[in-house]
Amino acid sequence: MICMNNINKGYMLGEEKVPVLRDVCFRVEKGEFVAILGPSGSGKTTLMNIIGCMDIADSGEYFLDGNAIHEMTEKELNDVRNKEIGFIFQNYQLIPTYNILQNIIMPLVVRGMDSKEAEEKCMDTIRLLGIDHRLRHKPSELSGGQKQRVSIARALVGEPAILLADEPTGALDRSSGQEVLKLFGKLNSMGHTIVMITHDLNVAKSAGRIVNIIDGELSEADG
């Protein structure tokens, strides 16, 4: 599903280029749940941005679901972001003026689907996540855990190749965070491929595999 070979990325600091990722090789098989674990400044956000096609590597190869990402134009990358990747963010990134249903169906409407058709297509996912009774509410009327469920629903409805979660429990209390992680486990058992970025070892342990990132270098966690 994901195959990265010798990925390098750096950023200019004044006249000097500072390396952030160093010869990163990373594999994720279809149906895996993988956590990328690292502290602040380790390069995990940069790696996430490259996985999510929001940034491109300086060198190396990146294949996503058979597509050669490193050879794509910006327009092609935008298509991959919209169709192949379901994003789940720490701060939810819901549109405050939209109700919950409008937020969830937005990816399908952007693709040109009629709102009514999009609503019908999304209902199974909405029921799965237990938010069917809150569809006419605004995000401000929901708890943090409910907002994250909406974010997950929005990520799922486009039927992406992977779910990419950035610190998905970071804004939640412990109980709500555990519920979200249980939900990820359920989705993974249904066959969804999940890559989760986190700084928290306890959160990472919910994944089937943990990969450590330190100073821009990846290593498999022991055990």
Side-chain angles (χ1 to χ4, degrees), residues 98 101-119 122 157:
Y98 282 15
L101 179 60
Q102 290 169 325
N103 269 281
I104 291 171
I105 68 174
M106 183 178 61
L108 299 180
V109 174
V110 167
R111 293 185 192 179
M113 187 177 291
D114 174 81
S115 294
K116 185 64 177 177
E117 182 185 357
E119 180 178 345
C122 292
V157 295

Side-chain angles (χ1 to χ4, degrees), residues 24-65:
V24 166
C25 294
F26 182 48
R27 305 282 188 278
V28 177
E29 300 298 328
K30 182 176 176 60
E32 272 198 294
F33 181 7
V34 180
I36 300 174
L37 175 66
S40 177
S42 61
K44 65 181 187 297
T45 298
T46 298
L47 179 58
M48 181 199 72
N49 288 339
I50 293 175
I51 292 172
C53 300
M54 295 180 285
D55 200 355
I56 57 174
D58 294 333
S59 63
E61 298 178 328
Y62 174 24
F63 297 91
L64 173 62
D65 201 19

